[in-house]
């Protein structure tokens, strides 16, 4: 044997021996980070947890990487054919390693060419290593060599333990499609707004084309390169007989038509709700363990969280909030002290605090900028984006490119009106809609559950309910006179709108929200007893101090808790804790926990119906919510209560129909930023319109099955004659105003309408009331309280 041949054989055998030895060492995990057999048999790609709405649509996701998972039969054959034709044409013939492609590598290298030899199974092996150990494709040749050996071994094991269908499915569930999107289902929904099972040839080819370079061939960023690569994939599909030449030509002739819809936590439906839900789920994950004893990971374990949110109601709620705030903000911004900035004159400490909390300030501090340099920077105009109302149907338009100083931007953004709105089924407790603010991109504070504000007159129904429980009735005549509390050194001399004197039925007093009558009631019942009823019976977690002022709504309570308490009125005396999760499942569909509403009886059915009838008076002629009828056209049975706090700081409206309970709060983050007039700042003008716009849409959408003809059920044991005088005891006049301690100066109304048309609407409402009451006997005693004429807009 020639010496050269001998050397060649020794070299080949040595390389082969070393390679086999290395493969053995890698296989037995002596070197490298080879996954265990258990890990390979139970591959666990990190999956985003999904928040699922009532109808099965995905509201949002929680993820580190945005990944979805599909079954084989949920993926279009076009995707699988495109993948095999492009990445691994002999996929169905090999056992994890393609010998022809592997042997060809040296010949291509000698020619200075690169050739990918990794099969789909090998690529899956690399993806699984990345998912389990964080390992990425190595750039160093030696490290890449070891990695390649691991891929071969893992690929062989995968082929032994999984079918070809399972391998290609797992691969498509782990590959990236750009924009931090992983998995074919997520890719299909993000780029084409459809599920993976309905992708056409050209759509499937577009997604598979991106696997060669998620940035280079991203159709959103590089449409020309993406189109060329897509057509290459289609050509390979035809070449390998997955489609006909005619199908290929038809597909190639079509442009790439994207329907891009990346699920972003700042966008989409119910972002405030999803953020509150995230906090609760983090706690849930810590308290619940998997079979191996480890905690669930919200961002990797692919949990499915089924919620009660109705997407259509949620959309209507968001549009209602935006619709009204867009108009209301114009009036607020035109207010002299807001427009001039003089409102901040006595609040410089707040400006300084917000400046120090800003990212700009922190960044300058990190760069060791002096206080003078920072001050100068914050008073120098710069280009920036700020929130600005432009559309209530397209939130993405509510962004303005402008130039202003950072200090002015702080003042500007703090003067944007905030709102909270929630709608729920009072019987089941299921929350149907949740809006925590005007725009989650700019304002992160949730004003449904996370914010507590003074509730104003929305607290009065609890006081009146306690009076009913203690023997009074809606027809009980009460004095509308000054009330003194010597023990507390407090005297209430007149109602907030200025009226005083005479007497009125309890039903009429609630409808007109008379503070003097509320003060009289709490003096008779006792502040401590009323506070105990609110805390121990109703169950408020907020502080309810036993002072007379709680009769006017001084407690600070969240909108969420207020609506929970209000469930006792439409739900026949039973308080139902709101729920928004129905069940949580793991990635395999196993139910981990189900959720049921918590109910407890607080008052009797008769007492609850009595309150329903009294609160219906609030929305009738002369009530503080009368504009619900004549201005917004809501003619269904509605009961509710407005609320306005001191200086018109907070505006509320909580209302319910036989099927749905909802409430709205409007105000600014800072209490010193408020409306200067009650005409604009009262709950009937801030919170009520949001409620009205929402119900207009809900009633119009018959698929929701919320009937505007539904009526409140009268208990069988209820005495019908108890209500003979309720309607008559409300003056058939213009609506009252529910006020804090402000006064009703004339001021431009937020709602732009013709005064004459408004007057005509009021007259029609009066005539309708006269017609309804023409056959009723007059009450023995009419209310004697004097009420000011309604303020007319200028």
């Amino acid at each position: 044997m020639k010496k050269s041949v001998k050397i060649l054989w020794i070299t080949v055998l040595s390389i082969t021996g070393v390679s086999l030895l290395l493969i053995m060492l890698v296989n037995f995990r002596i070197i490298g980070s080879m996954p265990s057999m258990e890990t390979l048999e139970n591959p666990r790609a990190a999956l985003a947890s999904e928040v699922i709405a009532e109808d099965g649509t995905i509201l949002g996701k929680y993820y580190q990487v945005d990944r979805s998972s599909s079954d084989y039969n949920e993926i279009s054959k076009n995707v699988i054919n495109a993948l095999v034709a492009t990445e691994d044409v002999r996929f169905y013939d090999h056992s994890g390693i393609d010998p022809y492609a592997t042997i060809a590598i040296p010949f291509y290298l000698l020619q200075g060419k690169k050739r990918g030899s990794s099969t789909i199974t090998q690529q899956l092996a690399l993806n699984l290593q990345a998912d389990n150990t964080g390992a990425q494709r190595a750039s160093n040749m030696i490290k890449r060599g070891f990695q390649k050996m691991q891929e071969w071994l893992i690929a062989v094991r995968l082929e032994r333990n999984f079918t070809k269908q399972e391998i290609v499915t797992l691969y498509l569930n782990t590959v990236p499609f750009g924009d931090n999107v992983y998995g074919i289902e997520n890719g299909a929904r993000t780029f084409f707004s459809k599920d993976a099972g309905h992708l056409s040839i050209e759509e499937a080819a577009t997604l598979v084309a991106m696997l060669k370079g998620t940035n280079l061939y991203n159709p959103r960023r590089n449409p020309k390169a993406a189109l060329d690569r897509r057509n290459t994939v289609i050509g390979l599909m035809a070449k390998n007989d997955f489609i006909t030449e005619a199908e290929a030509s038809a597909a190639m002739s079509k442009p790439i038509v994207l329907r891009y819809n990346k699920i972003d936590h700042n966008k989409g439906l119910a972002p405030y709700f999803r953020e509150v839900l995230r906090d609760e789920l983090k706690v849930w994950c810590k308290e619940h363990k998997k079979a191996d004893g480890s905690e669930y990971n919200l961002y990797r374990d692919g949990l499915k969280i089924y919620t009660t949110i109705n997407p259509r109601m949620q959309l209507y709620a968001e549009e209602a909030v935006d619709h009204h705030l867009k108009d209301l903000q114009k009036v607020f911004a035109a207010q002299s002290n807001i427009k001039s900035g003089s409102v901040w004159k006595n609040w410089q400490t707040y400006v300084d605090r917000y400046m120090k909390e800003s990212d700009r300030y922190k960044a300058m501090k990190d760069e060791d900028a002096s206080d003078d340099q920072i001050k100068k920077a914050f008073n120098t105009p710069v280009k920036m984006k700020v929130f600005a109302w432009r559309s209530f149907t397209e939130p993405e338009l509510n962004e303005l490119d402008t130039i202003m100083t950072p200090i002015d931007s702080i003042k500007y953004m703090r003067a944007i009106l905030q709102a909270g709105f929630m709608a729920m089924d009072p019987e089941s407790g299921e929350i149907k809609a949740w809006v925590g603010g005007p725009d989650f991109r700019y304002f992160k504070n949730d004003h449904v559950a996370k914010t507590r504000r003074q509730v104003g007159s929305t607290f009065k129904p609890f006081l009146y309910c306690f009076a009913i429980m203690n023997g009074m009735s809606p027809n009980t005549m009460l004095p509308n006179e000054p009330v003194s509390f010597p023990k507390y050194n407090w005297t209430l001399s007149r109602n907030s709108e200025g009226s005083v004197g005479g007497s009125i039925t309890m039903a009429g007093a609630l409808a007109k929200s008379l503070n003097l009558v509320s003060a009289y009631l709490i003096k008779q019942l006792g502040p401590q007893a009323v506070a105990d009823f609110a805390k121990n019976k109703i169950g408020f977690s907020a502080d309810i101090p036993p002072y007379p002022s709680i009769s006017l709504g001084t407690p600070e309570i969240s909108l969420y808790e207020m609506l929970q308490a209000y469930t006792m009125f439409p739900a026949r005396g039973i308080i139902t804790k709101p729920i928004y999760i129905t069940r949580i499942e793991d990635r395999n569909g196993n139910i981990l926990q189900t959720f049921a509403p918590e109910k407890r009886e607080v008052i009797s059915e008769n007492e609850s119906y009595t309150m329903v009838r009294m609160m219906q008076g609030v929305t009738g002629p002369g009530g503080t919510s009368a504009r619900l009828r004549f201005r917004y056209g809501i003619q269904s049975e509605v009961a509710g209560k407005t609320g306005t706090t001191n200086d018109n700081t907070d505006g509320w409206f909580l209302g319910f129909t036989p099927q749905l309970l909802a409430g709205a709060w409007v105000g600014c983050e800072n209490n010193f930023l408020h409306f200067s007039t009650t005409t604009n700042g009262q709950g009937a003008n801030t919170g009520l319109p949001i409620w009205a716009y929402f119900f207009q849409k809900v009633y119009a959408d018959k698929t929701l099955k919320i009937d505007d003809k539904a009526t409140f059920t009268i208990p069988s044991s209820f005495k019908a004659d108890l209500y003979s005088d309720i309607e008559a005891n409300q003056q058939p006049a213009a609506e009252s105003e529910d006020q804090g301690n402000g006064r009703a100066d004339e001021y431009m109304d937020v709602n732009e309408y013709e005064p004459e048309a408004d007057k005509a609407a009021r007259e029609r409402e009066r005539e309708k009331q006269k017609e309804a009451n023409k056959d009723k006997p007059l009450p023995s005693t009419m209310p004697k309280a004097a009420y000011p004429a309604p303020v007319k807009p200028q």
Side-chain angles (χ1 to χ4, degrees):
M1 183 182 294
K2 291 183 178 180
K3 187 176 181 180
S4 59
V5 175
K6 185 176 181 181
I7 291 173
L8 177 63
W9 275 108
I10 291 173
T11 302
V12 169
L13 291 173
S14 297
I15 292 173
T16 303
V18 171
S19 297
L20 289 172
L21 177 62
L22 287 173
I23 289 172
M24 293 284 288
L25 293 173
V26 170
N27 183 53
F28 291 106
R29 289 185 284 172
I30 295 173
I31 61 174
S33 55
M34 181 79 170
S36 68
M37 191 63 194
E38 181 183 2
T39 300
L40 294 177
E41 289 177 346
N42 300 280
R44 295 184 59 81
L47 289 182
S49 292
E50 297 177 339
V51 180
I52 302 169
E54 182 184 55
D55 65 352
T57 60
I58 297 175
L59 286 175
K61 299 179 180 182
Y62 306 118
Y63 56 82
Q64 289 171 333
V65 291
D66 190 359
R67 177 173 283 152
S68 62
S69 181
S70 302
D71 293 331
Y72 181 81
N73 58 9
E74 294 175 333
I75 303 173
S76 169
K77 289 293 188 292
N78 293 323
V79 175
I80 294 169
N81 291 339
L83 176 66
V84 173
T86 307
E87 297 291 326
D88 190 359
V89 72
R90 286 179 288 275
F91 173 68
Y92 294 106
D93 301 322
H94 62 66
S95 297
I97 302 172
D98 185 348
Y100 299 103
T102 303
I103 291 171
I105 291 176
F107 297 98
Y108 275 89
L109 290 175
L110 289 172
Q111 299 175 51
K113 298 179 181 179
K114 289 185 177 181
R115 174 185 172 87
S117 66
S118 292
T119 63
I120 288 174
T121 316
Q122 286 176 256
Q123 292 178 51
L124 172 60
L126 180 62
N127 291 345
L128 290 178
Q129 286 190 86
D131 208 62
N132 284 291
T133 66
Q136 299 296 323
R137 186 184 298 270
S139 56
N140 181 283
M141 278 190 65
I142 296 175
K143 288 183 179 179
R144 180 63 188 142
F146 279 107
Q147 201 174 58
K148 201 71 177 176
M149 292 179 195
Q150 290 178 327
E151 288 174 24
W152 287 340
L153 290 169
I154 295 172
V156 172
R157 289 189 175 190
L158 288 171
E159 291 279 351
R160 287 179 179 176
N161 287 276
F162 296 100
T163 66
K164 290 289 186 180
Q165 288 185 353
E166 289 172 331
I167 288 171
V168 75
T169 301
L170 188 53
Y171 174 81
L172 285 168
N173 283 335
T174 58
V175 290
F177 289 97
D179 295 354
N180 198 30
V181 169
Y182 287 72
I184 186 62
E185 180 68 20
N186 209 11
R189 290 189 181 277
T190 298
F191 287 92
F192 298 108
S193 294
K194 59 169 62 175
D195 59 70
H198 293 89
L199 290 169
S200 64
I201 292 172
E202 61 273 13
E203 290 168 342
T206 300
L207 291 175
V208 170
M210 293 172 68
L211 300 181
K212 189 173 178 66
T214 54
N215 289 323
L216 179 60
Y217 300 114
N218 187 319
R220 190 171 64 88
R221 299 179 180 181
N222 299 301
K224 177 64 170 62
L227 181 65
D228 292 343
R229 179 61 186 168
R230 182 205 71 173
N231 289 345
T232 299
V233 173
I234 294 173
L236 289 171
M237 292 174 73
K239 177 183 176 181
N240 292 293
D241 299 324
F242 288 109
I243 57 175
T244 66
E245 289 293 341
E247 288 175 323
S249 296
M252 286 183 185
S253 67
K254 297 176 182 179
I256 295 177
V257 180
L258 295 180
R259 293 184 62 196
Y260 191 82
N261 183 29
K262 178 75 166 71
I263 296 180
D264 184 326
H265 191 67
N266 284 323
K267 301 177 183 177
L269 286 175
Y272 289 94
F273 167 76
R274 286 185 272 127
E275 188 62 23
V276 172
L277 181 62
R278 184 207 300 266
D279 291 340
E280 182 168 329
L281 289 170
K282 285 180 180 178
V283 175
W284 185 92
C285 287
K286 287 185 177 295
E287 294 176 346
H288 293 76
K289 308 294 183 183
K290 291 182 279 191
D292 62 3
S294 63
E295 295 177 357
Y296 281 98
N297 187 314
L298 180 62
Y299 304 103
R300 294 179 59 85
D301 284 337
L303 300 175
K304 293 185 180 350
I305 302 99
Y306 291 85
T307 73
T308 62
I309 297 295
N310 181 292
R312 298 187 72 82
M313 287 194 191
Q314 179 66 33
L315 177 62
Y316 299 152
E318 291 180 7
E319 287 185 351
V321 169
D322 292 354
H323 185 178
H324 187 53
L325 289 188
K326 180 176 179 290
D327 292 335
L328 197 62
Q329 186 67 43
K330 294 177 184 177
V331 176
F332 189 59
Q335 193 169 286
S336 61
N337 64 340
I338 301 296
K339 189 175 183 179
S340 67
S342 62
V343 69
W344 292 95
K345 182 179 180 181
N346 298 320
W347 305 99
Q348 186 59 42
T349 53
Y350 282 86
V351 178
D352 294 340
R353 192 183 98 194
Y354 301 142
M355 179 185 73
K356 292 176 181 178
E357 290 173 352
S358 70
D359 292 336
R360 185 187 300 271
Y361 180 90
K362 292 174 182 176
M364 293 189 73
K365 272 295 185 183
D366 289 341
E367 294 172 0
D368 296 323
S370 67
D371 290 344
D372 288 339
Q373 288 173 320
I374 292 174
K375 184 178 180 180
K376 181 179 178 181
F378 270 82
N379 285 280
T380 302
V382 294
K383 291 181 179 180
M384 64 175 67
K385 290 182 183 291
V386 296
F387 175 83
W389 283 114
R390 291 180 174 180
S391 171
F392 65 84
T393 56
E394 299 181 64
E396 63 275 8
L397 298 179
N398 297 324
E399 194 170 61
L400 178 67
D401 289 304
T402 188
I403 297 176
M404 65 170 70
T405 69
I407 282 291
D408 285 341
S409 72
I410 289 173
K411 296 175 181 178
Y412 168 83
M413 294 294 281
R414 299 300 295 190
I416 298 293
L417 289 170
Q418 303 294 305
F421 179 85
M422 190 178 103
M424 63 179 289
D425 182 326
E427 295 274 358
S428 67
E430 294 184 352
I431 294 175
K432 301 300 181 183
W434 180 308
V435 185
D439 191 306
F440 190 76
R441 293 174 300 171
Y442 286 92
F443 309 101
K444 302 299 186 186
N445 287 351
D446 171 72
H447 296 296
V448 171
K450 301 293 187 181
T451 302
R452 289 180 173 178
R453 299 294 285 248
Q454 286 191 339
V455 295
S457 295
T458 57
F459 191 83
K460 289 178 181 175
F462 308 127
L463 171 66
Y464 280 70
C465 180
F466 193 57
I468 294 292
M469 295 168 66
N470 282 275
M472 296 186 187
S473 81
N475 288 328
T476 300
M477 298 300 296
L478 301 173
N480 184 40
E481 302 287 352
V483 184
S484 294
F485 297 85
K487 178 181 175 182
Y488 301 94
N489 193 30
W490 181 54
T491 297
L492 190 64
S493 59
R494 61 181 60 246
N495 290 307
S496 53
E497 88 292 344
S499 68
V500 63
S503 60
I504 189 171
T505 63
M506 190 159 71
L510 180 62
K512 295 180 183 296
S513 199
L514 298 179
N515 287 349
L516 288 176
V517 176
S518 295
Y520 172 82
L521 282 174
I522 201 167
K523 186 171 185 178
Q524 302 305 307
L525 299 168
Q528 184 65 60
V530 174
D532 288 345
F533 172 65
K535 285 288 289 183
N536 303 325
K537 195 75 171 176
I538 297 175
F540 284 117
S541 64
D543 185 34
I544 312 291
Y547 299 120
S549 59
I550 63 173
S551 64
L552 308 184
T554 54
E556 296 182 346
I557 305 173
S558 69
L559 175 61
Y560 177 93
E561 272 206 277
M562 285 297 291
L563 287 173
Q564 174 177 303
Y566 264 52
T567 59
M568 69 182 181
F569 302 130
R572 297 181 294 280
I574 295 173
I575 282 184
T576 304
K577 183 179 180 180
I579 64 167
Y580 39 81
I581 308 174
T582 55
R583 70 182 187 278
I584 299 175
E585 294 180 357
D586 66 12
R587 65 172 63 200
N588 299 314
N590 299 312
I591 297 176
L592 303 177
Q593 186 174 352
T594 57
F595 297 80
E598 298 176 17
K599 296 174 175 281
R600 54 191 176 81
E601 186 173 1
V602 177
I603 56 177
S604 71
E605 189 175 9
N606 284 350
E607 289 164 345
S608 71
Y609 184 71
T610 299
M611 287 305 303
V612 168
R613 288 298 302 272
M614 289 177 65
M615 293 170 76
Q616 279 183 279
V618 174
T619 66
T624 60
S625 304
R627 68 178 69 185
L628 197 66
R629 310 293 190 184
F630 73 79
R631 185 175 297 174
Y632 298 101
I634 304 293
Q635 300 303 325
S636 59
E637 287 203 0
V638 180
K641 189 70 191 74
T642 52
T644 312
T645 63
N646 286 354
D647 295 324
N648 313 300
T649 301
D650 305 278
W652 296 77
F653 180 72
L654 310 182
F656 53 89
T657 70
Q659 294 172 284
L660 204 59
L661 165 66
W665 165 86
V666 174
C668 282
E669 295 278 8
N670 299 98
N671 286 350
F672 56 84
L673 297 171
H674 54 76
F675 282 102
S676 58
T677 69
T678 303
T679 300
N680 290 325
Q682 62 177 310
N685 201 56
T686 57
L688 181 145
I690 295 174
W691 194 100
Y693 287 139
F694 172 74
F695 271 84
Q696 285 176 351
K697 289 286 188 73
V698 167
Y699 282 142
D701 188 342
K702 300 305 178 185
T703 64
L704 297 175
K705 298 180 181 179
I706 302 297
D707 186 5
D708 60 352
K709 300 295 190 296
T711 58
F712 292 106
T713 303
I714 303 175
S716 57
S717 60
F718 193 77
K719 296 179 181 179
D721 61 346
L722 186 66
Y723 282 93
S724 60
D725 289 343
I726 278 190
E727 298 294 335
N729 272 321
Q730 297 169 31
Q731 292 190 99
E735 60 180 312
S736 299
E737 291 181 337
D738 181 27
Q739 306 171 352
N741 65 351
R743 65 181 190 278
D745 296 330
E746 290 193 356
Y747 197 82
M748 180 179 67
D749 198 286
V750 62
N751 298 282
E752 297 179 2
Y753 60 92
E754 291 295 326
E756 290 303 317
D758 199 24
K759 181 179 178 182
R762 294 178 188 272
E763 290 299 330
R764 286 194 299 271
E765 194 68 27
R766 291 174 187 172
E767 291 301 320
K768 189 185 298 183
Q769 187 65 26
K770 287 180 182 178
E771 184 66 23
N773 291 334
K774 67 180 181 179
D775 296 325
K776 293 184 180 180
L778 291 173
S780 56
T781 307
M782 290 292 289
K784 298 177 182 178
Y787 301 97
V791 174
K792 295 180 180 179
Q794 294 180 331

